[in-house]
mmCIF file of all heavy atoms in Angstrom:
data_model
loop_
_atom_site.group_PDB
_atom_site.id
_atom_site.type_symbol
_atom_site.label_atom_id
_atom_site.label_comp_id
_atom_site.label_asym_id
_atom_site.label_seq_id
_atom_site.Cartn_x
_atom_site.Cartn_y
_atom_site.Cartn_z
ATOM 1 N N ILE A 19 104.189 109.114 102.725
ATOM 2 C CA ILE A 19 104.576 109.424 104.075
ATOM 3 C C ILE A 19 105.041 110.966 104.061
ATOM 4 O O ILE A 19 105.814 111.337 103.227
ATOM 5 C CB ILE A 19 105.731 108.534 104.576
ATOM 6 C CG1 ILE A 19 105.330 107.109 104.583
ATOM 7 C CG2 ILE A 19 106.216 109.060 105.987
ATOM 8 C CD1 ILE A 19 106.422 106.138 104.947
ATOM 9 N N ASP A 20 104.586 111.698 105.018
ATOM 10 C CA ASP A 20 104.966 113.107 105.092
ATOM 11 C C ASP A 20 106.134 113.326 106.059
ATOM 12 O O ASP A 20 105.946 113.579 107.233
ATOM 13 C CB ASP A 20 103.745 113.984 105.534
ATOM 14 C CG ASP A 20 104.006 115.416 105.208
ATOM 15 O OD1 ASP A 20 105.151 115.948 105.373
ATOM 16 O OD2 ASP A 20 103.060 116.117 104.772
ATOM 17 N N GLY A 21 107.348 113.126 105.557
ATOM 18 C CA GLY A 21 108.534 113.257 106.391
ATOM 19 C C GLY A 21 108.711 114.689 106.906
ATOM 20 O O GLY A 21 109.248 114.821 108.038
ATOM 21 N N TRP A 22 108.289 115.677 106.143
ATOM 22 C CA TRP A 22 108.417 117.051 106.601
ATOM 23 C C TRP A 22 107.713 117.309 107.917
ATOM 24 O O TRP A 22 108.185 117.887 108.854
ATOM 25 C CB TRP A 22 107.915 118.010 105.574
ATOM 26 C CG TRP A 22 108.747 118.080 104.318
ATOM 27 C CD1 TRP A 22 109.786 117.197 103.946
ATOM 28 C CD2 TRP A 22 108.690 119.028 103.223
ATOM 29 N NE1 TRP A 22 110.323 117.582 102.727
ATOM 30 C CE2 TRP A 22 109.621 118.720 102.292
ATOM 31 C CE3 TRP A 22 107.781 120.087 103.019
ATOM 32 C CZ2 TRP A 22 109.787 119.416 101.069
ATOM 33 C CZ3 TRP A 22 108.000 120.859 101.853
ATOM 34 C CH2 TRP A 22 108.948 120.526 100.922
ATOM 35 N N GLN A 23 106.418 116.828 107.938
ATOM 36 C CA GLN A 23 105.548 117.013 109.151
ATOM 37 C C GLN A 23 105.989 116.133 110.310
ATOM 38 O O GLN A 23 105.923 116.590 111.459
ATOM 39 C CB GLN A 23 104.114 116.747 108.830
ATOM 40 C CG GLN A 23 103.433 117.845 108.026
ATOM 41 C CD GLN A 23 103.301 119.151 108.783
ATOM 42 O OE1 GLN A 23 102.955 119.144 109.939
ATOM 43 N NE2 GLN A 23 103.542 120.248 108.104
ATOM 44 N N LEU A 24 106.476 114.930 110.007
ATOM 45 C CA LEU A 24 106.909 114.026 111.082
ATOM 46 C C LEU A 24 108.148 114.623 111.829
ATOM 47 O O LEU A 24 108.345 114.363 112.974
ATOM 48 C CB LEU A 24 107.251 112.669 110.524
ATOM 49 C CG LEU A 24 106.010 111.822 110.162
ATOM 50 C CD1 LEU A 24 106.461 110.547 109.446
ATOM 51 C CD2 LEU A 24 105.222 111.428 111.421
ATOM 52 N N LYS A 25 108.967 115.402 111.109
ATOM 53 C CA LYS A 25 110.145 116.054 111.704
ATOM 54 C C LYS A 25 109.700 117.206 112.574
ATOM 55 O O LYS A 25 110.394 117.601 113.492
ATOM 56 C CB LYS A 25 111.064 116.570 110.646
ATOM 57 C CG LYS A 25 111.850 115.481 109.934
ATOM 58 C CD LYS A 25 112.796 116.096 108.910
ATOM 59 C CE LYS A 25 113.589 115.019 108.133
ATOM 60 N NZ LYS A 25 114.412 115.628 107.111
ATOM 61 N N LYS A 26 108.513 117.758 112.347
ATOM 62 C CA LYS A 26 108.089 118.924 113.112
ATOM 63 C C LYS A 26 106.962 118.516 114.098
ATOM 64 O O LYS A 26 107.320 118.200 115.222
ATOM 65 C CB LYS A 26 107.554 120.020 112.088
ATOM 66 C CG LYS A 26 108.628 120.548 111.181
ATOM 67 C CD LYS A 26 108.127 121.674 110.317
ATOM 68 C CE LYS A 26 107.152 121.178 109.317
ATOM 69 N NZ LYS A 26 106.638 122.242 108.355
ATOM 70 N N SER A 27 105.718 118.550 113.727
ATOM 71 C CA SER A 27 104.632 118.371 114.660
ATOM 72 C C SER A 27 103.801 117.152 114.309
ATOM 73 O O SER A 27 102.752 116.973 114.981
ATOM 74 C CB SER A 27 103.717 119.626 114.718
ATOM 75 O OG SER A 27 103.226 119.899 113.370
ATOM 76 N N GLY A 28 104.140 116.411 113.301
ATOM 77 C CA GLY A 28 103.345 115.251 112.912
ATOM 78 C C GLY A 28 103.505 114.087 113.913
ATOM 79 O O GLY A 28 104.396 114.145 114.769
ATOM 80 N N SER A 29 102.630 113.102 113.816
ATOM 81 C CA SER A 29 102.697 111.931 114.644
ATOM 82 C C SER A 29 102.224 110.689 113.832
ATOM 83 O O SER A 29 101.360 110.852 112.985
ATOM 84 C CB SER A 29 101.851 112.041 115.942
ATOM 85 O OG SER A 29 100.512 112.209 115.526
ATOM 86 N N TRP A 30 102.828 109.568 114.132
ATOM 87 C CA TRP A 30 102.535 108.310 113.428
ATOM 88 C C TRP A 30 101.496 107.530 114.249
ATOM 89 O O TRP A 30 101.696 107.280 115.438
ATOM 90 C CB TRP A 30 103.746 107.446 113.215
ATOM 91 C CG TRP A 30 103.531 106.333 112.271
ATOM 92 C CD1 TRP A 30 103.174 105.088 112.567
ATOM 93 C CD2 TRP A 30 103.536 106.401 110.874
ATOM 94 N NE1 TRP A 30 102.989 104.311 111.503
ATOM 95 C CE2 TRP A 30 103.202 105.094 110.395
ATOM 96 C CE3 TRP A 30 103.850 107.415 109.966
ATOM 97 C CZ2 TRP A 30 103.188 104.820 109.005
ATOM 98 C CZ3 TRP A 30 103.761 107.098 108.581
ATOM 99 C CH2 TRP A 30 103.453 105.835 108.132
ATOM 100 N N LYS A 31 100.332 107.260 113.670
ATOM 101 C CA LYS A 31 99.263 106.535 114.396
ATOM 102 C C LYS A 31 99.024 105.207 113.822
ATOM 103 O O LYS A 31 99.497 104.798 112.733
ATOM 104 C CB LYS A 31 97.992 107.424 114.294
ATOM 105 C CG LYS A 31 98.151 108.822 114.906
ATOM 106 C CD LYS A 31 96.839 109.526 114.921
ATOM 107 C CE LYS A 31 97.010 110.949 115.509
ATOM 108 N NZ LYS A 31 97.399 110.858 116.939
ATOM 109 N N ARG A 32 98.282 104.392 114.596
ATOM 110 C CA ARG A 32 98.000 103.040 114.184
ATOM 111 C C ARG A 32 97.296 102.955 112.791
ATOM 112 O O ARG A 32 97.567 102.048 111.997
ATOM 113 C CB ARG A 32 97.132 102.356 115.223
ATOM 114 C CG ARG A 32 96.809 100.839 114.964
ATOM 115 C CD ARG A 32 96.014 100.246 116.080
ATOM 116 N NE ARG A 32 96.707 100.343 117.363
ATOM 117 C CZ ARG A 32 96.171 99.914 118.499
ATOM 118 N NH1 ARG A 32 94.943 99.462 118.559
ATOM 119 N NH2 ARG A 32 96.874 100.063 119.638
ATOM 120 N N LYS A 33 96.407 103.901 112.486
ATOM 121 C CA LYS A 33 95.762 103.945 111.273
ATOM 122 C C LYS A 33 96.706 104.110 110.063
ATOM 123 O O LYS A 33 96.471 103.677 108.945
ATOM 124 C CB LYS A 33 94.619 104.958 111.207
ATOM 125 C CG LYS A 33 95.151 106.371 111.342
ATOM 126 C CD LYS A 33 93.984 107.371 111.368
ATOM 127 C CE LYS A 33 94.404 108.830 111.538
ATOM 128 N NZ LYS A 33 93.293 109.752 111.502
ATOM 129 N N HIS A 34 97.814 104.766 110.309
ATOM 130 C CA HIS A 34 98.802 104.959 109.335
ATOM 131 C C HIS A 34 99.558 103.661 108.991
ATOM 132 O O HIS A 34 99.858 103.320 107.861
ATOM 133 C CB HIS A 34 99.853 106.030 109.724
ATOM 134 C CG HIS A 34 99.233 107.360 109.953
ATOM 135 N ND1 HIS A 34 99.705 108.310 110.816
ATOM 136 C CD2 HIS A 34 98.047 107.933 109.406
ATOM 137 C CE1 HIS A 34 98.920 109.363 110.781
ATOM 138 N NE2 HIS A 34 97.928 109.171 110.006
ATOM 139 N N THR A 35 99.798 102.888 110.021
ATOM 140 C CA THR A 35 100.425 101.587 109.856
ATOM 141 C C THR A 35 99.437 100.593 109.167
ATOM 142 O O THR A 35 99.902 99.788 108.330
ATOM 143 C CB THR A 35 100.753 100.933 111.282
ATOM 144 O OG1 THR A 35 101.685 101.885 111.919
ATOM 145 C CG2 THR A 35 101.475 99.603 111.086
ATOM 146 N N ARG A 36 98.182 100.739 109.423
ATOM 147 C CA ARG A 36 97.182 99.880 108.772
ATOM 148 C C ARG A 36 97.164 100.061 107.251
ATOM 149 O O ARG A 36 96.838 99.096 106.534
ATOM 150 C CB ARG A 36 95.784 100.170 109.368
ATOM 151 C CG ARG A 36 95.569 99.593 110.732
ATOM 152 C CD ARG A 36 94.253 100.012 111.344
ATOM 153 N NE ARG A 36 94.068 99.470 112.647
ATOM 154 C CZ ARG A 36 93.256 99.927 113.561
ATOM 155 N NH1 ARG A 36 92.473 101.063 113.258
ATOM 156 N NH2 ARG A 36 93.115 99.415 114.767
ATOM 157 N N PHE A 37 97.478 101.197 106.807
ATOM 158 C CA PHE A 37 97.521 101.475 105.350
ATOM 159 C C PHE A 37 98.556 100.550 104.771
ATOM 160 O O PHE A 37 98.374 99.898 103.736
ATOM 161 C CB PHE A 37 97.853 102.915 105.034
ATOM 162 C CG PHE A 37 98.200 103.172 103.591
ATOM 163 C CD1 PHE A 37 97.297 103.269 102.678
ATOM 164 C CD2 PHE A 37 99.592 103.336 103.287
ATOM 165 C CE1 PHE A 37 97.657 103.462 101.302
ATOM 166 C CE2 PHE A 37 99.894 103.533 101.930
ATOM 167 C CZ PHE A 37 98.978 103.563 100.977
ATOM 168 N N PHE A 38 99.765 100.537 105.392
ATOM 169 C CA PHE A 38 100.825 99.708 104.862
ATOM 170 C C PHE A 38 100.544 98.269 105.019
ATOM 171 O O PHE A 38 100.943 97.380 104.216
ATOM 172 C CB PHE A 38 102.168 100.087 105.451
ATOM 173 C CG PHE A 38 102.765 101.338 104.905
ATOM 174 C CD1 PHE A 38 102.753 102.476 105.586
ATOM 175 C CD2 PHE A 38 103.276 101.318 103.605
ATOM 176 C CE1 PHE A 38 103.331 103.639 105.074
ATOM 177 C CE2 PHE A 38 103.763 102.550 103.029
ATOM 178 C CZ PHE A 38 103.849 103.649 103.753
ATOM 179 N N ASN A 39 99.840 97.888 106.058
ATOM 180 C CA ASN A 39 99.419 96.486 106.282
ATOM 181 C C ASN A 39 98.555 96.053 105.133
ATOM 182 O O ASN A 39 98.650 94.934 104.621
ATOM 183 C CB ASN A 39 98.651 96.296 107.653
ATOM 184 C CG ASN A 39 99.634 96.393 108.804
ATOM 185 O OD1 ASN A 39 100.809 96.191 108.692
ATOM 186 N ND2 ASN A 39 99.046 96.669 109.972
ATOM 187 N N ARG A 40 97.654 96.953 104.749
ATOM 188 C CA ARG A 40 96.758 96.667 103.565
ATOM 189 C C ARG A 40 97.538 96.466 102.279
ATOM 190 O O ARG A 40 97.304 95.517 101.520
ATOM 191 C CB ARG A 40 95.740 97.781 103.395
ATOM 192 C CG ARG A 40 94.749 97.560 102.271
ATOM 193 C CD ARG A 40 93.951 96.285 102.443
ATOM 194 N NE ARG A 40 93.484 95.784 101.176
ATOM 195 C CZ ARG A 40 93.194 94.498 100.931
ATOM 196 N NH1 ARG A 40 93.367 93.582 101.845
ATOM 197 N NH2 ARG A 40 92.721 94.114 99.752
ATOM 198 N N VAL A 41 98.530 97.333 102.076
ATOM 199 C CA VAL A 41 99.347 97.190 100.906
ATOM 200 C C VAL A 41 100.113 95.868 100.897
ATOM 201 O O VAL A 41 100.216 95.229 99.825
ATOM 202 C CB VAL A 41 100.333 98.417 100.749
ATOM 203 C CG1 VAL A 41 101.383 98.201 99.624
ATOM 204 C CG2 VAL A 41 99.598 99.689 100.583
ATOM 205 N N LEU A 42 100.666 95.505 102.049
ATOM 206 C CA LEU A 42 101.375 94.210 102.140
ATOM 207 C C LEU A 42 100.463 93.032 101.888
ATOM 208 O O LEU A 42 100.860 92.050 101.270
ATOM 209 C CB LEU A 42 102.013 94.129 103.562
ATOM 210 C CG LEU A 42 103.196 95.029 103.816
ATOM 211 C CD1 LEU A 42 103.605 94.939 105.283
ATOM 212 C CD2 LEU A 42 104.409 94.718 102.908
ATOM 213 N N LYS A 43 99.240 93.136 102.306
ATOM 214 C CA LYS A 43 98.251 92.078 102.001
ATOM 215 C C LYS A 43 97.980 91.958 100.524
ATOM 216 O O LYS A 43 97.845 90.834 99.989
ATOM 217 C CB LYS A 43 96.976 92.294 102.775
ATOM 218 C CG LYS A 43 97.020 91.963 104.263
ATOM 219 C CD LYS A 43 95.701 92.097 104.953
ATOM 220 C CE LYS A 43 95.774 91.744 106.394
ATOM 221 N NZ LYS A 43 94.477 91.878 107.153
ATOM 222 N N MET A 44 97.952 93.085 99.875
ATOM 223 C CA MET A 44 97.747 93.091 98.406
ATOM 224 C C MET A 44 98.917 92.366 97.754
ATOM 225 O O MET A 44 98.733 91.673 96.744
ATOM 226 C CB MET A 44 97.604 94.492 97.936
ATOM 227 C CG MET A 44 96.322 95.196 98.345
ATOM 228 S SD MET A 44 96.207 96.918 97.823
ATOM 229 C CE MET A 44 95.893 96.712 96.020
ATOM 230 N N ILE A 45 100.115 92.611 98.260
ATOM 231 C CA ILE A 45 101.310 91.968 97.641
ATOM 232 C C ILE A 45 101.276 90.469 97.923
ATOM 233 O O ILE A 45 101.501 89.666 97.012
ATOM 234 C CB ILE A 45 102.604 92.561 98.251
ATOM 235 C CG1 ILE A 45 102.767 94.017 97.767
ATOM 236 C CG2 ILE A 45 103.796 91.771 97.832
ATOM 237 C CD1 ILE A 45 103.979 94.763 98.386
ATOM 238 N N GLU A 46 100.982 90.106 99.174
ATOM 239 C CA GLU A 46 101.081 88.660 99.571
ATOM 240 C C GLU A 46 99.896 87.842 99.087
ATOM 241 O O GLU A 46 100.048 86.742 98.539
ATOM 242 C CB GLU A 46 101.155 88.597 101.140
ATOM 243 C CG GLU A 46 102.430 89.204 101.681
ATOM 244 C CD GLU A 46 102.406 89.282 103.218
ATOM 245 O OE1 GLU A 46 101.392 88.826 103.814
ATOM 246 O OE2 GLU A 46 103.387 89.845 103.786
ATOM 247 N N GLN A 47 98.681 88.354 99.228
ATOM 248 C CA GLN A 47 97.484 87.605 98.925
ATOM 249 C C GLN A 47 96.996 87.719 97.495
ATOM 250 O O GLN A 47 96.425 86.780 96.933
ATOM 251 C CB GLN A 47 96.349 87.954 99.922
ATOM 252 C CG GLN A 47 96.698 87.691 101.366
ATOM 253 C CD GLN A 47 95.609 88.144 102.347
ATOM 254 O OE1 GLN A 47 94.536 88.596 101.909
ATOM 255 N NE2 GLN A 47 95.868 88.030 103.623
ATOM 256 N N GLU A 48 97.154 88.924 96.937
ATOM 257 C CA GLU A 48 96.639 89.191 95.574
ATOM 258 C C GLU A 48 97.730 89.306 94.545
ATOM 259 O O GLU A 48 97.423 89.550 93.368
ATOM 260 C CB GLU A 48 95.819 90.478 95.596
ATOM 261 C CG GLU A 48 94.625 90.415 96.577
ATOM 262 C CD GLU A 48 93.932 91.745 96.780
ATOM 263 O OE1 GLU A 48 94.174 92.651 95.968
ATOM 264 O OE2 GLU A 48 93.163 91.848 97.752
ATOM 265 N N LYS A 49 98.991 89.116 94.953
ATOM 266 C CA LYS A 49 100.154 89.187 94.106
ATOM 267 C C LYS A 49 100.246 90.486 93.318
ATOM 268 O O LYS A 49 100.642 90.519 92.174
ATOM 269 C CB LYS A 49 100.147 87.948 93.136
ATOM 270 C CG LYS A 49 99.932 86.627 93.767
ATOM 271 C CD LYS A 49 101.058 86.345 94.769
ATOM 272 C CE LYS A 49 100.825 84.990 95.427
ATOM 273 N NZ LYS A 49 101.820 84.735 96.526
ATOM 274 N N THR A 50 99.846 91.575 93.946
ATOM 275 C CA THR A 50 99.906 92.909 93.322
ATOM 276 C C THR A 50 101.341 93.414 93.272
ATOM 277 O O THR A 50 102.096 93.255 94.174
ATOM 278 C CB THR A 50 99.027 93.877 94.174
ATOM 279 O OG1 THR A 50 97.730 93.393 94.223
ATOM 280 C CG2 THR A 50 99.063 95.280 93.460
ATOM 281 N N ASN A 51 101.652 93.996 92.097
ATOM 282 C CA ASN A 51 103.006 94.631 91.929
ATOM 283 C C ASN A 51 102.849 96.064 92.459
ATOM 284 O O ASN A 51 102.005 96.835 92.006
ATOM 285 C CB ASN A 51 103.422 94.669 90.458
ATOM 286 C CG ASN A 51 103.566 93.228 89.898
ATOM 287 O OD1 ASN A 51 104.267 92.445 90.487
ATOM 288 N ND2 ASN A 51 102.903 93.020 88.816
ATOM 289 N N VAL A 52 103.638 96.479 93.449
ATOM 290 C CA VAL A 52 103.537 97.739 94.067
ATOM 291 C C VAL A 52 104.804 98.575 93.703
ATOM 292 O O VAL A 52 105.909 98.135 93.895
ATOM 293 C CB VAL A 52 103.422 97.651 95.583
ATOM 294 C CG1 VAL A 52 103.412 99.085 96.246
ATOM 295 C CG2 VAL A 52 102.098 96.953 95.956
ATOM 296 N N PHE A 53 104.611 99.795 93.242
ATOM 297 C CA PHE A 53 105.657 100.708 92.891
ATOM 298 C C PHE A 53 105.506 101.949 93.741
ATOM 299 O O PHE A 53 104.476 102.683 93.617
ATOM 300 C CB PHE A 53 105.588 101.048 91.377
ATOM 301 C CG PHE A 53 105.665 99.916 90.511
ATOM 302 C CD1 PHE A 53 104.450 99.269 90.071
ATOM 303 C CD2 PHE A 53 106.848 99.387 90.030
ATOM 304 C CE1 PHE A 53 104.466 98.150 89.245
ATOM 305 C CE2 PHE A 53 106.850 98.270 89.201
ATOM 306 C CZ PHE A 53 105.712 97.670 88.799
ATOM 307 N N TYR A 54 106.420 102.200 94.599
ATOM 308 C CA TYR A 54 106.409 103.371 95.488
ATOM 309 C C TYR A 54 107.410 104.360 94.944
ATOM 310 O O TYR A 54 108.610 104.164 94.891
ATOM 311 C CB TYR A 54 106.804 102.946 96.906
ATOM 312 C CG TYR A 54 106.663 104.021 97.957
ATOM 313 C CD1 TYR A 54 106.491 103.668 99.334
ATOM 314 C CD2 TYR A 54 106.755 105.402 97.702
ATOM 315 C CE1 TYR A 54 106.309 104.662 100.302
ATOM 316 C CE2 TYR A 54 106.588 106.408 98.689
ATOM 317 C CZ TYR A 54 106.404 106.008 99.979
ATOM 318 O OH TYR A 54 106.309 106.974 100.956
ATOM 319 N N LEU A 55 106.841 105.499 94.467
ATOM 320 C CA LEU A 55 107.699 106.575 93.869
ATOM 321 C C LEU A 55 107.928 107.655 94.852
ATOM 322 O O LEU A 55 106.983 108.094 95.557
ATOM 323 C CB LEU A 55 107.075 107.108 92.584
ATOM 324 C CG LEU A 55 107.370 106.385 91.234
ATOM 325 C CD1 LEU A 55 106.934 104.875 91.373
ATOM 326 C CD2 LEU A 55 106.685 107.034 90.095
#
């Protein structure tokens, strides 16, 4: 997530949420271990 740009001129779109939806599906359906650094 680019917090710097979101504070200035960035915008959060549906496609950005879909990325996290995909990650959540990997956790729930595929039992993937996710590490966010």
